Amino acid sequence: MAPSILVLGTFAIAPIFYALFLSFQKVQLLGGIEYQFAGWRNFARLVEDDRLGIALRNTAEYVAIVVPTQTILALILAVTLNAGIKGKNWWRIIYFLPTVTSSAVLTLIFMWIYNTDGLLNHFLAFWGLPTYNWLGDPAVALKGIMLMNIWSTAPFFMVIYLAALQDIPKSLYEAAALDGANQWEQFFCITLPLLKPVTFFVVAIGVIGTFQLFDQSYIFSGGTGGPNNATLTIVLLIYQAVFRDLQMGYAAAIAFLLAAIIISITLIQRQFLGSEKFD
Amino acid sequence: MKKEWLNFVFLAILVALLLIGCWNFVLAPASDKQMPVSIRLGGWGASPAEQTLLRQVLQDFEAKYPDIKVKHEIIADQYMDVIKTRLIGEAAPDVFYLDISEAPFLMSQNVLEPLDPYLTPEFDLADFATPLLESFRYRERLYGLPKDYSTLALFYNKQAFAAAGLTAPPRTWEELLTYAKQLTVDLNQDGRIDQYGCGVLPDLARQVYKIEAFGGQLVDSNGYAAFATEAALQGLQLLVDQYRLDRSSALPSDLGTNSVDEMFGRGKVAMIITGNWTIPYLNETFPDLEFGAAEVPSINNKPGTMLFTVAYVMNKQAEHKAEAWQLISYLTGKEGMQKWTSTGFALPTRQSVLAALGYARDPLRAPLIAGIDYATPWQGGKNLSIVATNFNNQLLSTMLGEQPLKQAMVRAQESANRQIRANE
């Protein structure tokens, strides 16, 4: 017990308290570290900061689009795989490849695809669809990151769904079929309700992961959150506050805001999806 | 439970003993023999050819001073973020690069060693171009010695000029705008423009001279943004109107390129305003391109350009300051600087080296050298990075047609100043 408490305390619990301490301080970092009590000033600054507003809006938009899309996509992929298509293992490997690839590498590859002369625009032009300046146009830059992330994380949740699908007893489907339920009715009345706890897990992990979007938008914009703050996310703002502006206290305050948002959204989800009872 | 606890304590002691043992083992031989002093030199990465050149200069230094070893550390990305973090963690290199734009901030933070006490008459400080030295002075003290510099000049594609019947580069901004229209052409008649007149970068680093052309200023004396004035807007409007109304200029991302240099090299734009670094890049990547250089066309009858430079500075925490100074004085001394700048990657900051290398007679570099007399140094107080971020964001949105320039600049100024006030 003692070693694990020590390790956990040093690397997980103590940093939380240190961050709490920092969020009430103004820290002078360069040329000798000095702490100065700042009261609620760092938190008051949260209200005034218009870049935080932009970051919140971007992140919220990102979560609102990515989480439902990747959850539904994961479910569709899992159900089709579970239905026993030919070459199941190959499909599984193909689907799962993007998830095991490093996100930094994925982002770089996608930046080539998104180039104005790149693959995606050629593809769109081929079908007569409008092409975009994916990296330079603030209106679509975040959409580009969304597309990439849905593609790379959906398969991970697919695997979780797949495992859950295999746990659903066959007898339930047989009974339903005897009662005259067709495939759709079986899916909506048996599969979906029984997957509810898994869906809660998938959505909760999805929300937490997407709220913490950092590396993709960092690489995409070279750390600036551009073009015109279009890819500025909360975690990127925290990074900028610490490493660019050296405002440790303010960064800790933003981090607590982010934690509060994630915790409250997870609690709300539990109200809707969390109960394990079903009729 | 109790036994586990004892085991743990025992293990911890064992690890501690092992560490102490190894420590002595490593240190022991070092104290016996006189080891050469090791100096860490930090910088960002550059092209392989430039990297090789620097390694060569450092080897020459080590040959000359056998008791000093130089450990060159390359910081690949986000240089200033990494340097600041290492300075805080007391792990920064002894000598490192400092860009002119970041100098006011670091100099005000009391982390750099003033270099005045080390200067000797033989070092000949007066040999340096004055505007370059002034950029690294803070409260009467000199903190950095510029290793090289560049201004901006107009580079033009000679083939494109000949095709459009133009014989000489533009001398005024009005001429530049007229030429740019003539140079914007759809060569294969497919309805898409193949060559634009100008390649532009809506980046503050390349626009400050436009702000000043009509009497505007970037920041006030307290370091707060002050560019949302009529005078400043007048200069910036030239950039925006050319892009939005004349449609004779293009941004790198419009054409699927990463930089203005690349646009120019690939023949997608006929003119760019850029610095010395473009010359070796073009010669290496696009050897068939025929291009010329001229001074930046005058705006409002006033010449203007930007001044960029990088200095070697010494970490205040450096352990071997005398040796660190040896390194700086060699690299920025007459001998070292001549080696460093002889292949044309950079322009020497010493007048004597500049004369010895004869760059003033080089038609591509003469306009860059002429610019130093009227150039605006790329500086703007210690909050420049905040000012620049807000400016760039809002200017880009104006270029994309989301809002008029005035509204964008007022927003950029207010947002920058709010951020600066909050940081204080």
Side-chain angles (χ1 to χ4, degrees):
Chain A
M1 263 306 267
S4 58
I5 287 176
L6 201 73
V7 169
L8 212 67
T10 321
F11 296 107
I13 315 284
I16 295 177
F17 282 102
Y18 188 52
L20 189 66
F21 163 75
L22 280 178
S23 65
F24 289 98
Q25 303 284 325
K26 180 173 168 52
V27 192
Q28 165 71 32
L29 286 167
L30 269 175
I33 297 174
E34 280 166 40
Y35 299 99
Q36 190 188 334
F37 185 68
W40 291 94
R41 224 172 304 150
N42 288 326
F43 291 92
R45 223 180 122 180
L46 291 173
V47 188
E48 295 164 12
D49 192 349
D50 45 355
R51 294 188 80 219
L52 179 69
I54 296 170
L56 272 174
R57 221 172 309 132
N58 284 341
T59 314
E61 186 192 336
Y62 180 82
V63 174
I65 295 179
V66 171
V67 173
T69 320
Q70 76 185 12
T71 310
I72 292 169
L73 187 66
L75 187 61
I76 293 172
L77 289 178
V79 170
T80 47
L81 270 186
N82 200 40
I85 49 168
K86 258 196 195 140
K88 196 161 118 183
N89 281 335
W90 286 109
W91 285 113
R92 220 184 290 184
I93 290 170
I94 292 170
Y95 286 156
F96 205 61
L97 265 181
T99 303
V100 290
T101 313
S102 134
S103 70
V105 176
L106 276 186
T107 313
L108 287 176
I109 294 172
F110 265 76
M111 281 175 80
W112 287 323
I113 296 176
Y114 285 149
N115 193 303
T116 37
D117 272 350
L119 188 68
L120 184 62
N121 273 352
H122 276 287
F123 180 78
L124 290 173
F126 181 78
W127 294 103
L129 296 165
T131 58
Y132 296 99
N133 180 354
W134 292 95
L135 302 170
D137 186 349
V140 291
L142 192 65
K143 309 273 186 306
I145 299 180
M146 288 179 188
L147 213 62
M148 175 170 77
N149 246 23
I150 291 169
W151 177 75
S152 67
T153 48
F156 172 69
F157 295 123
M158 172 199 79
V159 174
I160 295 168
Y161 268 129
L162 205 56
L165 279 173
Q166 276 157 9
D167 272 354
I168 300 178
K170 287 272 181 297
S171 57
L172 283 174
Y173 291 107
E174 282 165 14
L178 282 179
D179 284 344
N182 64 25
Q183 292 278 319
W184 286 111
E185 285 165 338
Q186 287 180 22
F187 177 75
F188 283 108
C189 300
I190 298 173
T191 315
L192 269 191
L194 282 175
L195 286 180
K196 215 171 159 189
V198 180
T199 306
F200 168 68
F201 173 78
V202 167
V203 173
I205 296 291
V207 166
I208 293 168
T210 46
F211 261 113
Q212 294 177 349
L213 173 68
F214 170 69
D215 41 1
Q216 286 95 340
S217 59
Y218 173 85
I219 299 171
F220 226 70
S221 64
T224 61
N228 195 14
N229 288 333
T231 57
L232 186 71
T233 64
I234 302 179
V235 184
L236 189 58
L237 195 67
I238 296 175
Y239 166 83
Q240 288 185 351
V242 179
F243 293 99
R244 211 148 283 177
D245 303 343
L246 304 178
Q247 299 288 315
M248 204 74 127
Y250 182 52
I254 308 177
F256 272 100
L257 177 74
L258 179 62
I261 292 173
I262 293 179
I263 291 171
S264 39
I265 290 186
T266 312
L267 287 178
I268 293 169
Q269 273 171 45
R270 222 171 63 152
Q271 287 298 311
F272 286 101
L273 290 167
S275 64
E276 303 229 341
K277 282 189 304 196
F278 51 88
D279 328 290
Chain B
M1 182 68 203
K2 188 145 189 200
K3 206 172 164 207
E4 268 172 37
W5 176 244
L6 269 176
N7 276 342
F8 174 66
V9 170
F10 182 68
L11 197 75
I13 292 170
L14 204 73
V15 170
L17 281 175
L18 214 69
L19 273 177
I20 294 163
C22 289
W23 201 251
N24 281 335
F25 183 69
V26 173
L27 282 182
S31 50
D32 285 342
K33 204 172 69 195
Q34 215 15 276
M35 283 280 280
V37 172
S38 183
I39 296 291
R40 292 163 62 212
L41 171 67
W44 48 78
S47 70
E50 206 177 319
Q51 219 69 270
T52 316
L53 178 65
L54 180 59
R55 212 171 305 131
Q56 187 59 48
V57 178
L58 292 177
Q59 269 167 16
D60 292 349
F61 169 78
E62 286 177 337
K64 198 171 172 187
Y65 300 93
D67 50 343
I68 306 176
K69 279 227 137 344
V70 182
K71 201 162 155 269
H72 186 204
E73 296 175 358
I74 294 169
I75 295 168
D77 196 25
Q78 308 291 340
Y79 179 77
M80 274 319 288
D81 293 359
V82 175
I83 281 289
K84 280 183 211 164
T85 318
R86 291 200 184 160
L87 281 168
I88 294 164
E90 302 188 357
D94 304 306
V95 176
F96 56 92
Y97 291 6
L98 180 61
D99 189 79
I100 179 171
S101 60
E102 297 280 358
F105 173 73
L106 270 200
M107 290 191 296
S108 70
Q109 297 295 307
N110 193 28
V111 288
L112 302 178
E113 175 81 4
L115 299 177
D116 312 73
Y118 301 93
L119 295 169
T120 57
E122 303 92 80
F123 184 72
D124 193 7
L125 190 70
D127 194 17
F128 283 87
T130 325
L132 297 169
L133 277 186
E134 286 315 305
S135 304
F136 295 97
R137 242 188 250 284
Y138 177 76
R139 297 198 176 149
E140 314 285 302
R141 286 181 169 202
L142 184 69
Y143 286 92
L145 286 167
K147 70 186 185 81
D148 49 36
Y149 81 100
S150 179
T151 61
L152 293 177
L154 177 83
F155 286 72
Y156 60 100
N157 185 325
K158 285 186 174 168
Q159 285 136 320
F161 265 58
L166 299 168
T167 48
R171 305 188 68 80
T172 65
W173 205 262
E174 290 75 30
E175 274 179 14
L176 176 115
L177 295 176
T178 326
Y179 286 17
K181 279 189 217 163
Q182 292 174 28
L183 290 161
T184 303
V185 282
D186 177 7
L187 294 169
N188 55 7
Q189 309 291 329
D190 66 347
R192 275 178 70 176
I193 290 166
D194 303 296
Q195 178 191 288
Y196 283 89
C198 289
V200 293
L201 203 60
D203 200 74
L204 183 61
R206 302 210 179 181
Q207 308 301 343
V208 185
Y209 69 96
K210 289 198 186 97
I211 292 177
E212 293 181 347
F214 295 91
Q217 58 172 353
L218 176 63
V219 291
D220 63 18
S221 52
N222 295 322
Y224 284 93
F227 50 75
T229 57
E230 286 304 324
L233 292 175
Q234 212 176 337
L236 292 170
Q237 197 71 50
L238 294 170
L239 174 81
V240 178
D241 286 350
Q242 189 192 10
Y243 184 74
R244 296 230 42 98
L245 302 179
D246 294 0
R247 301 213 169 259
S248 63
S249 62
L251 310 180
S253 59
D254 291 338
L255 305 175
T257 52
N258 293 318
S259 66
V260 283
D261 302 359
E262 190 188 342
M263 285 202 278
F264 184 71
R266 285 167 60 179
K268 294 188 171 208
V269 296
M271 295 184 278
I272 53 170
I273 291 174
T274 181
N276 182 71
W277 55 87
T278 304
I279 301 173
Y281 166 78
L282 291 176
N283 286 338
E284 199 173 303
T285 321
F286 304 97
D288 299 329
L289 188 79
E290 284 177 41
F291 62 97
E295 287 179 53
V296 175
S298 62
I299 302 175
N300 195 21
N301 290 322
K302 272 195 291 192
T305 185
M306 299 297 298
L307 178 62
F308 303 100
T309 179
V310 174
Y312 285 115
V313 295
M314 199 195 296
N315 183 353
K316 197 166 199 168
Q317 308 258 347
E319 213 178 313
H320 307 285
K321 289 198 171 114
E323 286 81 0
W325 167 250
Q326 287 290 0
L327 178 62
I328 295 180
S329 69
Y330 178 81
L331 291 171
T332 57
K334 285 172 188 166
E335 185 191 341
M337 186 178 290
Q338 182 145 354
K339 279 182 192 151
W340 168 240
T341 53
S342 59
T343 52
F345 286 120
L347 296 173
T349 49
R350 280 178 177 272
Q351 308 290 348
S352 63
V353 179
L354 192 66
L357 293 172
Y359 283 142
R361 291 189 300 280
D362 177 346
L364 285 178
R365 293 189 170 87
L368 293 166
I369 293 164
I372 196 169
D373 295 328
Y374 52 82
T376 307
W378 171 224
Q379 271 185 335
K382 55 182 183 159
N383 294 311
L384 183 62
S385 64
I386 294 176
V387 174
T389 310
N390 285 290
F391 177 93
N392 291 343
N393 272 327
Q394 297 293 343
L395 182 63
L396 180 70
S397 105
T398 307
M399 295 291 269
L400 296 170
E402 291 174 351
Q403 54 181 334
L405 182 65
K406 183 164 174 104
Q407 182 192 335
M409 289 299 111
V410 169
R411 275 191 189 171
Q413 179 172 318
E414 281 175 359
S415 154
N417 289 346
R418 222 178 4 247
Q419 229 172 310
I420 295 169
R421 255 192 303 273
N423 282 359
E424 253 153 31

